[in-house]
Amino acid sequence: MRLLLVEDDAVIAHELVLRWERHQWTVEAVGTLQAADAALAHRAVDLVVLDLGLPDGDGLRWLAQLRRTDRKTPVLVLTARDRVVDRVEGLRTGADDYLVKPFAVEELDARVEVLTRRAQRTREDCVQYGRLSWFGNEGRVDIAGQPLVLLPREFEVLGLLVRRAPRLVPKRALIDALAERNLELSDSAAEVYVSRLRRKLTGSGLAIRTLRGFGYVLEAEALP
Ligand code: CA
């Protein structure tokens, strides 16, 4: 887990870095917004912990700017600004959580864990295979960056196949998984959806192979 700590109070920063490194988290601590920009340009992080009063500007304004290009990276604001209006503004600006100083480090740790767990789940909800990207949260599929138009059941079937790819998805597992999502599918309907999907994937570099009596495999074809 990789954290970016934006905090100009050297004592707090030092303590948090020591503590989080003991948790085996990778922490990069910076004391200015400019250094925060540089750190994020360099590599993605799982969470930003952001102080607001920083020597080269206001953390909230920086957060608003960040949210124009990055809506996903979780940000936890850590600040002495404790008025309700400050917290509301922080959350509205795009903070995922807000903790007021002075704080209990155990509480901060717990909140960091919640946010990164959530981010982890979001990541799991985006699966890539070959030229295909499947975005569970958004109900969207791209092939080489181009959207693929699918009906809801086709989307779910493809999601199951891509998560397992290039391994076999037994037909029974496919039907059961759809039933869990309240998308009832009969045995023969499963075949219909798979064959429709297969048609839609034509020319995409991906193919669904049927293993008679077993199930389906999504395979990436060698591209010419
Ligand atoms: Ca500060």
Side-chain angles (χ1 to χ4, degrees), residues 198-218:
R198 188 176 280 139
R199 263 204 306 282
K200 291 190 177 180
L201 288 172
T202 304
S204 69
L206 291 146
I208 301 171
R209 191 152 61 91
T210 303
L211 298 176
R212 292 258 164 254
F214 292 98
Y216 308 98
V217 182
L218 181 68

Side-chain angles (χ1 to χ4, degrees), residues 37 40 62-73:
D37 278 330
L40 285 181
W62 179 85
L63 176 58
Q65 189 73 36
L66 177 77
R67 283 295 180 241
R68 269 177 227 153
T69 53
D70 174 350
R71 276 173 295 157
K72 283 206 172 138
T73 306

Side-chain angles (χ1 to χ4, degrees), residues 5 7 9 11-13 15-17 19-20 49-51 76-80 98-112:
L5 174 63
E7 170 63 82
D9 182 321
V11 176
I12 294 180
E15 275 181 22
L16 289 180
V17 169
R19 180 179 180 86
W20 288 342
V49 177
L50 177 68
D51 179 26
L76 186 156
V77 165
L78 190 61
T79 178
Y98 196 103
L99 188 60
V100 172
K101 294 173 184 170
F103 56 91
V105 279
E106 293 82 1
E107 182 178 0
L108 176 59
D109 286 357
R111 287 172 184 247
V112 165

